[in-house]
Amino acid sequence: MSVTFALFDDAGKFLAGRVMSEADASMQVELDSGKRVKVKAANVLLKFEQPAPAVLLADARALADDIDLDLAWEFAPEGEFGFADLARDYFDAKAGVVQQAAALLRLFDAPHYFRRAGKGQFKKAPEETVKAALLGIERKRQQALQIEAWAEELVQGACPQPIQDQIYKILFKPDKNGPEYKAVVEAAKRSHKAPLDLLQGAGAITSAYQFHWKRFLFENFAKGVGFPALTAPEIKDELALSPVQAFSIDDSQTTEIDDALSVQGLGTGTVVFGVHIAAPGLAITPDSAIDKVARERLSTVYMPGWKITMLPDEVVQAYTLIEGRDCPAVSIYFTMDEATLEIRAKETKLERVHIAANLRHDRLDGIVTDASLSGQAPADYAFAPELAFAWRLARQLKAQREVVRGKPENFNRPDYNFRLAGERNEPPKGDETVEISVRARGSSLDLIVAEAMILANSAWGGWLAELGLPGIYRSQASLAPGIKVRMGVKALPHAGMGVASYTWASSPLRRYVDLANQWQIIAAARHGKTAALVAPFKPKDAQLFSIISAFESAYAAYNGFQNGIERFWTLRHLAQNGITELTATVMKEGLVRADDLPLVFKALGCESLPRGSHVKLRITGLDEMTLDVHATLVERLDEVAATEEPEGDDDELEAAAAPIALAIDVDESEPVEPAPSN
């Protein structure tokens, strides 16, 4: 009795083996591996006595590759047919099992020519389908050749223009099926280089600063940072001129002067303290051209040496509180006892306010001091009595808030000023000399402005709630660890500030949330108890939730960029000044904070040191591309100085200290397929 073999379909994979037993509906087949499998009779496509199964499959595969698909398609019948039928038409009427198996394999692998109609059964695809499929195959073949060519160029140190044009998309928001992405991945594998190193070597990235800057623009300002042609609308309200002489307090670089202060009645026993906010909301209306621009940007973006404003400069200049000008303002006046500072009345007005002076922090911080404000030192500067009163008020307001908070606010960390050498009317290039100076938080002028704004914003927030007007609020349920500040439309307490409610309304030229809230405040000032009927945003207005969502996303992105670009300039500062050693305080698990620079990073040797340990570190490497710092412990300095590093924002700082993350993944990407053929 002759030995019988069978070729069968196993879930789209063709196998062959020795038939060990056979029943009506199935058979048991032994594969070359020795494994025995039960095969349904319907899945058996060929029975044969020779050659051996392995030989049959090998010979059939070799022969299948030689079958001309165009010719086979021409030979094939119009209706359904079996693979053996095609073998007899294509080869000859006596086509053997090898030729039949070859026809099966070729038909199965060419779905663009032949559609599967059942086990071993096929049907010709329509001619137009075949042509379309062949065009697709040719495109795929050409793309594979293109990927190969681009990858080779990158390996050789040159960057093809199509890849140059998509650098930031490839690295951060890639189409992983795109040929440009695949070429970079393939080149990285071949060269055994990280993608950033590969692209730098190929000249695609020539400047670390430009890399960070252009990445930010790609992700947030894809259409560029320019503004369409816009004209600032005039304020048509007939606004009375306030009798006050107001003054603002800002840095010299500030052009969007949103707020100013005034003090009336000193020496009379009753003082009226005024907070005056620029009033673009009196002219800019919701859904206007300027509003759409502001709502798209949502905030001014700050960075050392430059900024991207929320509004065009010509619009800003129309409403900013420039000294020597009578400026439209939304003002809130607090009438209070001069001795006790008890607030007896509040009133919001829409008016014009004369801005007598724009005071500047950088010129006055060393002059306007606690000693001069308290009368212990001479106060030889403008608005000395008004500033002294505002400082006394600020100290009391802060103390009252701290009682509500349950603990004092701690400003033990300094702020840092970044100054780039030279004047400019364009963004920095990244090679400028940078100076980093310390500006202690909680300075006298800082305190005055901060408490005045908190007072106004919390008062306006409460007033809107009383009138049933929705607004955008910031709240914090408690000071417990992990409880963060949230934005919403309800007037909820802000535990971190120690106020019953808090809304942002004091920076309408640089934050969209403030502009939206200003519209509500203007409606309240004009219409009082009936304001809810005419205000731009009604209770439960979906637009407010949309604004909050968009603002939070944009604000996080802008702050992330500001922190990252300040980190870049800090690394430049280290390199430009040849700084190789730093003192720092340990936070957790090797994470440290530099004592005299705005820099948090991991340092080898500090992993096991307790929180608050004071250490000296050696800088062993800086990477301006990834913003990574490499450092090792030199010695512990606790015997010299020991501080307790407060907890709170460790996770956010640790994330900021980590190298930048790319969306390109060389390890998980599939290898580039060879160019297909017909």
Side-chain angles (χ1 to χ4, degrees), residues 417-466:
N417 292 327
F418 290 78
R419 182 181 177 277
L420 305 186
E423 298 294 328
R424 62 185 48 79
N425 56 10
E426 61 181 7
K429 299 186 183 304
D431 56 0
E432 293 84 354
T433 300
V434 59
E435 297 177 2
I436 302 177
S437 58
V438 176
R439 177 164 168 257
R441 296 177 70 179
S443 69
S444 305
L445 292 176
D446 270 345
L447 181 67
I448 290 170
V449 175
E451 292 300 329
M453 296 310 113
I454 293 171
L455 179 64
N457 285 325
S458 58
W460 274 326
W463 189 41
L464 291 179
E466 288 173 11

Side-chain angles (χ1 to χ4, degrees), residues 60-61 63-64 67 91 97-107:
R61 174 52 65 193
L63 184 58
I67 294 176
F91 293 107
V97 293
V98 172
Q99 292 167 316
Q100 291 178 41
L104 172 65
L105 297 176
R106 190 63 162 153
L107 288 166

Side-chain angles (χ1 to χ4, degrees), residues 361-628:
H361 275 296
D362 44 313
R363 300 173 190 168
L364 295 173
D365 270 346
I367 300 172
V368 181
T369 62
D370 288 2
S372 67
L373 291 166
S374 63
Q376 298 175 6
D380 188 15
Y381 44 79
F383 297 98
E386 291 85 354
L387 287 170
F389 176 85
W391 177 73
R392 186 163 68 90
L393 173 62
R395 283 164 56 91
Q396 177 158 311
L397 292 171
K398 182 174 184 291
Q400 291 171 344
R401 291 191 303 103
E402 288 178 342
V403 170
V404 179
R405 289 180 88 249
K407 61 180 180 180
E409 291 179 311
N410 190 358
F411 294 120
N412 61 335
R413 294 176 190 161
D415 280 333
Y416 291 92
N417 292 327
F418 290 78
R419 182 181 177 277
L420 305 186
E423 298 294 328
R424 62 185 48 79
N425 56 10
E426 61 181 7
K429 299 186 183 304
D431 56 0
E432 293 84 354
T433 300
V434 59
E435 297 177 2
I436 302 177
S437 58
V438 176
R439 177 164 168 257
R441 296 177 70 179
S443 69
S444 305
L445 292 176
D446 270 345
L447 181 67
I448 290 170
V449 175
E451 292 300 329
M453 296 310 113
I454 293 171
L455 179 64
N457 285 325
S458 58
W460 274 326
W463 189 41
L464 291 179
E466 288 173 11
L467 295 175
L469 272 174
I472 299 176
Y473 293 87
R474 292 175 66 80
S475 64
Q476 187 178 19
S478 77
L479 291 178
I483 304 298
K484 297 185 178 296
V485 175
R486 299 190 179 279
M487 298 186 77
V489 296
K490 293 183 179 179
L492 300 174
H494 194 307
M497 289 190 168
V499 294
S501 63
Y502 185 74
T503 185
W504 266 348
S506 53
S507 297
L509 294 174
R510 42 189 166 180
R511 277 194 310 240
Y512 188 76
V513 167
D514 301 55
L515 178 59
N517 281 328
Q518 187 174 87
W519 285 325
Q520 301 295 88
I521 293 167
I522 289 170
R526 285 172 172 166
H527 303 283
K529 294 180 180 180
T530 62
L533 300 174
V534 295
F537 304 108
K538 305 298 187 287
K540 298 182 181 180
D541 196 321
Q543 284 194 75
L544 286 179
F545 295 100
S546 176
I547 292 169
I548 289 172
S549 176
F551 179 82
E552 287 186 318
S553 177
Y555 209 57
Y558 297 171
N559 283 337
F561 169 68
Q562 182 178 352
N563 292 337
I565 211 67
E566 287 182 357
R567 187 177 178 89
F568 167 85
W569 285 115
T570 304
L571 301 194
R572 291 288 294 171
H573 172 81
L574 291 172
Q576 288 173 353
N577 292 280
I579 298 172
T580 58
E581 288 190 344
L582 291 173
T583 57
T585 303
V586 174
M587 299 175 66
K588 68 169 187 177
E589 299 171 358
L591 193 69
V592 302
R593 183 198 303 275
D595 290 343
D596 302 314
L597 288 172
L599 194 60
V600 173
F601 54 97
K602 288 285 185 79
L604 291 175
C606 295
E607 296 83 358
S608 61
L609 294 180
R611 188 180 192 88
S613 298
H614 200 218
V615 294
K616 178 189 280 188
L617 305 170
R618 178 172 292 112
I619 304 297
T620 58
L622 303 171
D623 191 328
E624 294 178 358
M625 287 292 296
T626 64
L627 302 179
D628 203 6

